[in-house]
Short mmCIF file of all heavy atoms in Angstrom, two decimals:
data_model
loop_
_atom_site.label_atom_id
_atom_site.label_comp_id
_atom_site.label_asym_id
_atom_site.label_seq_id
_atom_site.Cartn_x
_atom_site.Cartn_y
_atom_site.Cartn_z
N ALA A 1100 -18.40 17.37 -25.64
CA ALA A 1100 -17.92 16.31 -24.77
C ALA A 1100 -18.28 16.63 -23.33
O ALA A 1100 -18.22 17.78 -22.90
CB ALA A 1100 -16.41 16.19 -24.90
N PRO A 1101 -18.66 15.61 -22.55
CA PRO A 1101 -19.03 15.86 -21.16
C PRO A 1101 -17.84 16.36 -20.35
O PRO A 1101 -16.71 15.94 -20.58
CB PRO A 1101 -19.50 14.49 -20.68
CG PRO A 1101 -18.84 13.51 -21.60
CD PRO A 1101 -18.76 14.19 -22.92
N ALA A 1102 -18.09 17.26 -19.46
CA ALA A 1102 -17.03 17.80 -18.62
C ALA A 1102 -16.51 16.71 -17.69
O ALA A 1102 -17.26 15.86 -17.22
CB ALA A 1102 -17.57 18.97 -17.79
N PRO A 1103 -15.20 16.73 -17.44
CA PRO A 1103 -14.66 15.74 -16.51
C PRO A 1103 -15.20 15.98 -15.11
O PRO A 1103 -15.62 17.09 -14.78
CB PRO A 1103 -13.15 16.00 -16.59
CG PRO A 1103 -13.03 17.42 -17.03
CD PRO A 1103 -14.19 17.66 -17.94
N PRO A 1104 -15.19 14.94 -14.30
CA PRO A 1104 -15.69 15.13 -12.94
C PRO A 1104 -14.85 16.14 -12.19
O PRO A 1104 -13.64 16.25 -12.39
CB PRO A 1104 -15.57 13.73 -12.33
CG PRO A 1104 -14.59 13.00 -13.19
CD PRO A 1104 -14.72 13.58 -14.56
N ARG A 1105 -15.49 16.89 -11.36
CA ARG A 1105 -14.81 17.94 -10.60
C ARG A 1105 -13.81 17.30 -9.64
O ARG A 1105 -14.13 16.35 -8.92
CB ARG A 1105 -15.82 18.78 -9.83
CG ARG A 1105 -15.20 19.96 -9.08
CD ARG A 1105 -16.28 20.82 -8.44
NE ARG A 1105 -15.71 21.94 -7.74
CZ ARG A 1105 -15.36 23.08 -8.31
NH1 ARG A 1105 -15.53 23.23 -9.62
NH2 ARG A 1105 -14.83 24.07 -7.63
N PHE A 1106 -12.61 17.82 -9.67
CA PHE A 1106 -11.56 17.27 -8.81
C PHE A 1106 -11.44 18.11 -7.55
O PHE A 1106 -11.24 19.32 -7.60
CB PHE A 1106 -10.22 17.24 -9.57
CG PHE A 1106 -9.06 16.87 -8.69
CD1 PHE A 1106 -9.00 15.61 -8.12
CD2 PHE A 1106 -8.05 17.79 -8.45
CE1 PHE A 1106 -7.93 15.26 -7.32
CE2 PHE A 1106 -6.99 17.45 -7.64
CZ PHE A 1106 -6.92 16.18 -7.08
N THR A 1107 -11.52 17.46 -6.41
CA THR A 1107 -11.35 18.12 -5.12
C THR A 1107 -10.16 17.51 -4.41
O THR A 1107 -10.16 16.31 -4.12
CB THR A 1107 -12.61 17.95 -4.25
OG1 THR A 1107 -13.73 18.45 -4.96
CG2 THR A 1107 -12.44 18.68 -2.93
N PRO A 1108 -9.10 18.30 -4.16
CA PRO A 1108 -7.91 17.74 -3.49
C PRO A 1108 -8.26 17.22 -2.09
O PRO A 1108 -9.09 17.79 -1.38
CB PRO A 1108 -6.96 18.93 -3.41
CG PRO A 1108 -7.45 19.91 -4.41
CD PRO A 1108 -8.93 19.72 -4.49
N THR A 1109 -7.59 16.16 -1.73
CA THR A 1109 -7.74 15.61 -0.39
C THR A 1109 -6.91 16.44 0.58
O THR A 1109 -6.00 17.18 0.17
CB THR A 1109 -7.29 14.16 -0.35
OG1 THR A 1109 -5.87 14.13 -0.59
CG2 THR A 1109 -8.00 13.31 -1.39
N PRO A 1110 -7.15 16.33 1.87
CA PRO A 1110 -6.30 17.04 2.84
C PRO A 1110 -4.82 16.66 2.69
O PRO A 1110 -3.95 17.53 2.84
CB PRO A 1110 -6.87 16.58 4.18
CG PRO A 1110 -8.31 16.28 3.90
CD PRO A 1110 -8.32 15.70 2.52
N GLU A 1111 -4.54 15.41 2.41
CA GLU A 1111 -3.14 15.01 2.24
C GLU A 1111 -2.52 15.72 1.04
O GLU A 1111 -1.39 16.22 1.12
CB GLU A 1111 -3.03 13.50 2.06
CG GLU A 1111 -1.58 13.04 1.91
CD GLU A 1111 -1.45 11.58 1.51
OE1 GLU A 1111 -2.46 11.00 1.10
OE2 GLU A 1111 -0.33 11.05 1.59
N GLN A 1112 -3.27 15.82 -0.05
CA GLN A 1112 -2.74 16.48 -1.24
C GLN A 1112 -2.55 17.98 -1.00
O GLN A 1112 -1.59 18.58 -1.48
CB GLN A 1112 -3.66 16.22 -2.43
CG GLN A 1112 -3.60 14.77 -2.89
CD GLN A 1112 -4.74 14.39 -3.81
OE1 GLN A 1112 -5.77 15.09 -3.86
NE2 GLN A 1112 -4.61 13.28 -4.51
N LEU A 1113 -3.44 18.59 -0.24
CA LEU A 1113 -3.27 20.00 0.11
C LEU A 1113 -2.02 20.19 0.96
O LEU A 1113 -1.29 21.19 0.81
CB LEU A 1113 -4.51 20.51 0.84
CG LEU A 1113 -5.79 20.63 -0.03
CD1 LEU A 1113 -6.98 20.97 0.87
CD2 LEU A 1113 -5.60 21.69 -1.10
N ALA A 1114 -1.76 19.24 1.87
CA ALA A 1114 -0.57 19.33 2.71
C ALA A 1114 0.70 19.17 1.85
O ALA A 1114 1.70 19.87 2.08
CB ALA A 1114 -0.62 18.25 3.79
N ILE A 1115 0.66 18.27 0.88
CA ILE A 1115 1.80 18.10 -0.02
C ILE A 1115 2.05 19.38 -0.81
O ILE A 1115 3.19 19.82 -0.96
CB ILE A 1115 1.53 16.91 -0.97
CG1 ILE A 1115 1.58 15.60 -0.21
CG2 ILE A 1115 2.54 16.90 -2.12
CD1 ILE A 1115 1.12 14.41 -1.02
N GLN A 1116 0.97 19.99 -1.30
CA GLN A 1116 1.11 21.23 -2.05
C GLN A 1116 1.74 22.32 -1.19
O GLN A 1116 2.65 23.03 -1.65
CB GLN A 1116 -0.25 21.68 -2.57
CG GLN A 1116 -0.26 23.00 -3.33
CD GLN A 1116 0.51 22.92 -4.64
OE1 GLN A 1116 0.82 21.84 -5.11
NE2 GLN A 1116 0.83 24.08 -5.21
N ALA A 1117 1.28 22.44 0.03
CA ALA A 1117 1.83 23.48 0.93
C ALA A 1117 3.30 23.23 1.21
O ALA A 1117 4.12 24.17 1.22
CB ALA A 1117 1.02 23.51 2.22
N ALA A 1118 3.66 21.96 1.46
CA ALA A 1118 5.07 21.64 1.74
C ALA A 1118 5.94 21.88 0.52
O ALA A 1118 7.08 22.32 0.63
CB ALA A 1118 5.17 20.19 2.21
N SER A 1119 5.40 21.59 -0.67
CA SER A 1119 6.16 21.83 -1.90
C SER A 1119 6.41 23.33 -2.08
O SER A 1119 7.52 23.75 -2.44
CB SER A 1119 5.40 21.27 -3.11
OG SER A 1119 5.24 19.88 -3.02
N GLU A 1120 5.38 24.13 -1.84
CA GLU A 1120 5.54 25.58 -1.98
C GLU A 1120 6.56 26.11 -0.97
O GLU A 1120 7.35 27.01 -1.29
CB GLU A 1120 4.19 26.26 -1.79
CG GLU A 1120 3.22 26.00 -2.95
CD GLU A 1120 1.83 26.51 -2.68
OE1 GLU A 1120 1.55 26.91 -1.54
OE2 GLU A 1120 0.98 26.48 -3.61
N LYS A 1121 6.58 25.53 0.22
CA LYS A 1121 7.54 25.97 1.24
C LYS A 1121 8.96 25.64 0.81
O LYS A 1121 9.88 26.47 0.95
CB LYS A 1121 7.21 25.30 2.57
CG LYS A 1121 8.13 25.72 3.71
CD LYS A 1121 7.72 25.05 5.02
CE LYS A 1121 8.65 25.45 6.15
NZ LYS A 1121 8.27 24.78 7.43
N ASP A 1122 9.18 24.43 0.28
CA ASP A 1122 10.53 24.07 -0.16
C ASP A 1122 10.96 24.90 -1.36
O ASP A 1122 12.11 25.32 -1.46
CB ASP A 1122 10.57 22.58 -0.52
CG ASP A 1122 11.97 22.14 -0.94
OD1 ASP A 1122 12.85 22.06 -0.07
OD2 ASP A 1122 12.18 21.91 -2.16
N ARG A 1123 10.04 25.15 -2.26
CA ARG A 1123 10.37 25.99 -3.42
C ARG A 1123 10.76 27.39 -2.97
O ARG A 1123 11.70 27.99 -3.50
CB ARG A 1123 9.17 26.04 -4.37
CG ARG A 1123 9.34 26.96 -5.59
CD ARG A 1123 8.15 26.73 -6.51
NE ARG A 1123 8.08 27.68 -7.60
CZ ARG A 1123 7.43 28.84 -7.57
NH1 ARG A 1123 6.78 29.21 -6.44
NH2 ARG A 1123 7.40 29.63 -8.62
N GLN A 1124 10.06 27.92 -1.96
CA GLN A 1124 10.42 29.23 -1.44
C GLN A 1124 11.81 29.21 -0.82
O GLN A 1124 12.58 30.18 -0.95
CB GLN A 1124 9.39 29.68 -0.40
CG GLN A 1124 9.61 31.10 0.11
CD GLN A 1124 9.54 32.14 -1.00
OE1 GLN A 1124 8.57 32.19 -1.74
NE2 GLN A 1124 10.57 32.98 -1.11
N ARG A 1125 12.17 28.09 -0.17
CA ARG A 1125 13.51 27.96 0.40
C ARG A 1125 14.57 28.06 -0.69
O ARG A 1125 15.60 28.73 -0.52
CB ARG A 1125 13.63 26.61 1.13
CG ARG A 1125 15.01 26.34 1.73
CD ARG A 1125 15.13 24.89 2.19
NE ARG A 1125 14.99 23.95 1.08
CZ ARG A 1125 15.98 23.67 0.22
NH1 ARG A 1125 17.16 24.26 0.35
NH2 ARG A 1125 15.77 22.81 -0.76
N VAL A 1126 14.31 27.40 -1.83
CA VAL A 1126 15.24 27.46 -2.95
C VAL A 1126 15.35 28.89 -3.48
O VAL A 1126 16.45 29.40 -3.75
CB VAL A 1126 14.80 26.50 -4.06
CG1 VAL A 1126 15.70 26.65 -5.29
CG2 VAL A 1126 14.83 25.06 -3.57
N MET A 1127 14.21 29.57 -3.62
CA MET A 1127 14.23 30.96 -4.09
C MET A 1127 15.03 31.84 -3.14
O MET A 1127 15.79 32.72 -3.58
CB MET A 1127 12.80 31.48 -4.23
CG MET A 1127 12.01 30.83 -5.36
SD MET A 1127 10.25 31.30 -5.37
CE MET A 1127 10.36 33.07 -5.58
N ASP A 1128 14.87 31.62 -1.85
CA ASP A 1128 15.63 32.42 -0.88
C ASP A 1128 17.13 32.18 -1.03
O ASP A 1128 17.93 33.13 -0.95
CB ASP A 1128 15.19 32.04 0.54
CG ASP A 1128 13.76 32.49 0.84
OD1 ASP A 1128 13.22 33.33 0.10
OD2 ASP A 1128 13.17 31.97 1.82
N GLU A 1129 17.52 30.92 -1.25
CA GLU A 1129 18.95 30.64 -1.43
C GLU A 1129 19.48 31.31 -2.69
O GLU A 1129 20.64 31.70 -2.75
CB GLU A 1129 19.18 29.14 -1.48
CG GLU A 1129 19.04 28.44 -0.14
CD GLU A 1129 19.54 27.01 -0.17
OE1 GLU A 1129 20.41 26.70 -1.01
OE2 GLU A 1129 19.09 26.20 0.66
N LEU A 1130 18.63 31.42 -3.70
CA LEU A 1130 19.04 32.06 -4.95
C LEU A 1130 18.94 33.58 -4.87
O LEU A 1130 19.38 34.28 -5.79
CB LEU A 1130 18.17 31.56 -6.10
CG LEU A 1130 18.36 30.10 -6.53
CD1 LEU A 1130 17.25 29.69 -7.49
CD2 LEU A 1130 19.73 29.93 -7.20
N GLY A 1131 18.34 34.09 -3.82
CA GLY A 1131 18.14 35.53 -3.70
C GLY A 1131 17.08 36.07 -4.63
O GLY A 1131 17.14 37.22 -5.07
N ILE A 1132 16.08 35.24 -4.94
CA ILE A 1132 15.01 35.62 -5.86
C ILE A 1132 13.73 35.86 -5.06
O ILE A 1132 13.30 34.99 -4.29
CB ILE A 1132 14.77 34.52 -6.91
CG1 ILE A 1132 16.03 34.33 -7.77
CG2 ILE A 1132 13.58 34.85 -7.79
CD1 ILE A 1132 15.93 33.16 -8.74
#
Side-chain angles (χ1 to χ4, degrees):
R1105 184 175 180 83
F1106 172 64
T1107 303
T1109 66
E1111 181 189 14
Q1112 290 165 343
L1113 291 172
I1115 290 171
Q1116 177 67 14
S1119 297
E1120 290 172 351
K1121 182 178 179 181
D1122 182 72
R1123 176 172 171 269
Q1124 185 60 53
R1125 178 191 62 80
V1126 175
M1127 292 172 60
D1128 292 343
E1129 287 191 25
L1130 291 169
I1132 297 174

